Amino acid sequence: MAKQHVSFKLNGKQVDALVEPRELLVHTIRETLSLTGTHIGCETSHCGACTVDLDGKSVKSCTVLAVQADGSELKTVEGLADAGGLHAVQKAFIEEHGLQCGFCTPGMLIRAYRFLQENPNPTEEEIRWGMSGNLCRCTGYQNIVKAVQTAAKTLQQA
Amino acid sequence: MIPSEFEYHKATSIQDAIAQLGAHEDAKLLAGGHSLLPMMKLRFAEPPHLIDINGIEELRGIRLEGDTICIGAMTTENELIHSEILQQHCPLLVEAARLVADPQVRNRGTIGGDVAHGDPGNDHPAVMLALDATFVLHGPGGERQQAANGFFLGTYWNDLQEHEILVELRVPVIKKGVGHGYSKLKRKTGDYAVAGSPVVIELDGEVCRDIRIALTNVAPMAIRAEAAENILRGKVIDDALIEQAAAEVLAACDPAEDLRGDVLYKSHMAAEMARRSIRAALLQARG
Ligand SMILES: Cc1cc2nc3c(=O)[nH]c(=O)nc-3n(C[C@H](O)[C@H](O)[C@H](O)COP(=O)(O)OP(=O)(O)OC[C@H]3O[C@@H](n4cnc5c(N)ncnc54)[C@H](O)[C@@H]3O)c2cc1C
Ligand code: FES
Ligand code: FES
């Protein structure tokens, strides 16, 4: 099948790629653009490890075609830190031990980043609801919830 | 897990999408992609052409026309949840959308795709039955309207004709004296229903003028439990009548046994979901 040209902004930089129509966005990000922070967990749209920020919305990049990202603005976990250091959600996950094996963490971070813009001052229940598209097999979620609470406080104070 | 090869086309308007469906044999529309792409990855579906309707602005948005709410087929679950029109005039849809999948899926998945897809686990078909919705369909022969009641014919089988597109879903404003409830049992957040039941009750004083009890995931498609409705219509609803209606809901169920449970368990859970929704709807209708 003929490849198609796509062009989008990835973590602030304009990038181009040639993709087959059937190529999933997560493969383009990981294999063509070599940003392997975004993980593939289930490949069946359940786990959220592949979550990225597409035009300001959290999506599962294993369930979006790369051709659909043409002209969009994308952010992955690699785009969270800036010259000033780690992002508040990243720092909070370290402080609160919001991870064990770390496999789910990139998805958790990029989702938490967006969730705290949707709801800057969430209750615990709202955090659990807002993060429910991301599965973790290690932590039992307690420390992930704490990390999101801590990040919310930091971001509110900033 | 990658879909088999297909050609990707972008439709720019409803007319263009209908023309492209006609021009490409066995083409499928791509809406939110959160039922279709998973099926294509598993090779349960291998359409040679996908026609992406995400760029069609006329398919988006929610507007109020008199006593009718018109919802564009490409409106996402999250847009339903955040719609002020729905929060105010049809909170049943907001409640149901909050129980669909998870935040990421709700950013992509559309109400039109959920209704058109044909998985008995989809929540919106039963909600549309309970609301007595009307669908606006466009095809090569022009526009037609079809009641939700009669649209769902079986698993992956509905009244959409060849090369037709679901354009808009119309639901009535929920008025004073009308109450609704949606109960959905699921094993975990983000899962499809073990059983679900949206209910709408219209009261005339204390008397039930009309009632619609619909069921999710306990038959080949979304259904209405008409025998149960008949027990309650025209009566002052009390606990004894609710029990009789629940027995009719149980009898109406014909679920497939799977990891979510066996036939008996699912049927009993459907009856319980209906009981809860009837009680919630009654409370609301009484104001
Ligand atoms: C992890 C997960 C959990 C889920 N949980 C639930 C749940 O709890 N409840 C629930 O209801 N759903 C659930 N879903 C399904 C999800 O809501 C889908 O988004 C929805 O079923 C299909 O909508 P879509 O816009 O993604 O359509 P698509 O997947 O793009 O399309 C589905 C089908 O409908 C056709 N179609 C789409 N739009 C139209 C149109 N306008 N006119 C004619 N045909 C059209 C397509 O051609 C295709 O055949 C879940 C999905 C996932 C991945
Ligand atoms: S890899 Fe995309 S949801 Fe699991
Ligand atoms: S830390 Fe291991 S899956 Fe979440």
Side-chain angles (χ1 to χ4, degrees):
Chain A
M1 200 65 46
K3 291 201 172 186
Q4 298 188 8
H5 173 246
V6 294
S7 172
F8 47 80
K9 224 177 207 178
L10 179 60
N11 299 329
K13 267 199 285 219
Q14 199 65 36
V15 297
D16 294 89
L18 281 176
V19 300
E20 269 189 78
R22 63 176 177 158
E23 189 167 320
L24 303 167
L25 180 58
V26 69
H27 293 295
T28 312
I29 292 171
R30 288 178 55 87
E31 288 147 34
T32 310
L33 301 167
S34 304
L35 290 186
T36 53
T38 304
H39 288 172
I40 301 175
C42 64
E43 285 188 89
T44 57
S45 330
H46 288 90
C47 74
C50 65
T51 300
V52 300
D53 206 66
L54 173 68
D55 288 332
K57 293 192 177 99
S58 303
V59 302
K60 294 176 175 174
S61 62
C62 74
T63 315
V64 175
L65 300 171
V67 285
Q68 294 185 284
D70 191 31
S72 69
E73 212 164 299
L74 273 171
K75 200 195 252 306
T76 63
V77 69
E78 289 92 344
L80 285 179
D82 59 20
L86 292 179
H87 189 276
V89 293
Q90 294 173 303
K91 287 186 190 152
F93 269 71
I94 297 171
E95 262 170 53
E96 302 290 353
H97 298 284
L99 60 145
Q100 288 178 22
C101 80
F103 194 85
C104 69
T105 314
M108 290 287 177
L109 292 172
I110 197 79
R111 174 60 195 142
Y113 158 82
R114 176 54 51 192
F115 170 65
L116 288 175
Q117 292 177 54
E118 293 164 355
N119 186 349
N121 191 16
T123 63
E124 179 183 336
E125 200 188 327
E126 286 166 349
I127 292 173
R128 289 184 185 275
W129 193 68
M131 299 292 295
S132 61
N134 295 73
L135 303 183
C136 174
R137 300 250 109 166
C138 304
T139 62
Y141 300 99
Q142 293 300 97
N143 289 352
I144 290 176
V145 173
K146 274 193 210 155
V148 177
Q149 283 169 328
T150 299
K153 274 191 212 126
T154 315
L155 288 166
Q156 292 268 77
Q157 281 157 11
Chain B
M1 285 204 325
I2 297 170
S4 52
E5 292 190 344
F6 58 84
E7 274 184 52
Y8 173 81
H9 313 269
K10 263 184 157 155
T12 52
S13 67
I14 297 170
Q15 275 318 315
D16 181 37
I18 295 167
Q20 295 214 40
L21 280 174
H24 305 294
E25 203 172 345
D26 293 329
K28 272 207 164 287
L29 298 175
L30 175 65
H34 273 60
S35 286
L36 184 55
L37 293 177
M39 284 182 81
M40 289 173 64
K41 288 203 254 176
L42 294 167
R43 311 283 170 113
F44 291 149
E46 297 183 77
H49 298 273
L50 279 193
I51 297 163
D52 190 343
I53 53 175
N54 280 278
I56 306 180
E57 269 315 303
E58 7 165 23
L59 289 176
R60 291 189 186 274
I62 300 172
R63 61 177 206 283
L64 196 57
E65 267 185 19
D67 284 344
T68 304
I69 306 167
C70 306
I71 305 165
M74 287 299 291
T75 306
T76 64
E77 303 289 348
N78 264 329
E79 287 163 354
L80 297 178
I81 291 172
H82 291 111
S83 157
E84 276 175 27
I85 292 180
L86 291 179
Q87 286 167 7
Q88 202 182 336
H89 299 292
C90 192
L92 170 57
L93 255 174
V94 177
E95 218 174 283
R98 283 179 62 92
L99 293 170
V100 170
D102 62 51
Q104 286 93 319
V105 176
R106 290 192 293 264
N107 275 333
R108 300 290 295 179
T110 66
I111 185 169
D114 200 275
V115 162
H117 181 54
D119 184 329
N122 283 139
D123 287 284
H124 287 295
V127 174
M128 292 296 115
L129 289 175
L131 285 169
D132 212 10
T134 302
F135 303 144
V136 179
L137 311 163
H138 286 204
E143 173 182 334
R144 70 185 176 101
Q145 296 195 8
Q146 154 78 44
N149 199 2
F151 181 78
F152 306 103
L153 303 174
T155 303
Y156 304 121
W157 181 30
N158 60 37
D159 188 49
L160 265 177
Q161 304 297 309
E162 211 182 17
H163 308 153
E164 244 180 0
I165 296 183
L166 173 56
V167 167
E168 194 168 272
L169 305 90
R170 296 190 178 161
V171 300
V173 164
I174 293 190
K175 292 192 188 152
K176 211 172 145 33
V178 180
H180 71 267
Y182 190 40
S183 309
K184 171 179 177 180
L185 177 69
K186 40 185 187 170
R187 298 173 300 175
K188 60 172 196 63
T189 306
D191 197 17
Y192 290 92
V194 173
S197 178
V199 169
V200 174
I201 293 181
E202 303 177 21
L203 286 187
D204 226 344
E206 274 298 294
V207 177
C208 168
R209 182 179 55 230
D210 201 7
I211 178 164
R212 291 179 296 278
I213 303 171
L215 301 172
T216 299
N217 221 6
V218 284
M221 68 283 187
I223 54 168
R224 268 178 62 182
E226 284 169 11
E229 297 172 357
N230 290 340
I231 286 183
L232 303 175
R233 197 177 290 111
K235 308 267 175 51
V236 178
I237 299 175
D238 59 16
D239 280 350
L241 281 177
I242 292 177
E243 275 322 298
Q244 283 181 37
E248 291 297 346
V249 169
L250 188 72
C253 292
D254 177 23
E257 175 170 338
D258 60 19
L259 288 175
R260 291 190 184 86
D262 60 24
V263 171
L264 204 59
Y265 172 70
K266 287 182 169 188
S267 305
H268 276 280
M269 289 307 105
E272 179 56 21
M273 294 306 111
R275 272 190 204 98
R276 292 180 190 180
S277 295
I278 293 168
R279 292 211 172 93
L282 259 186
L283 260 180
Q284 233 189 36
R286 285 175 181 151

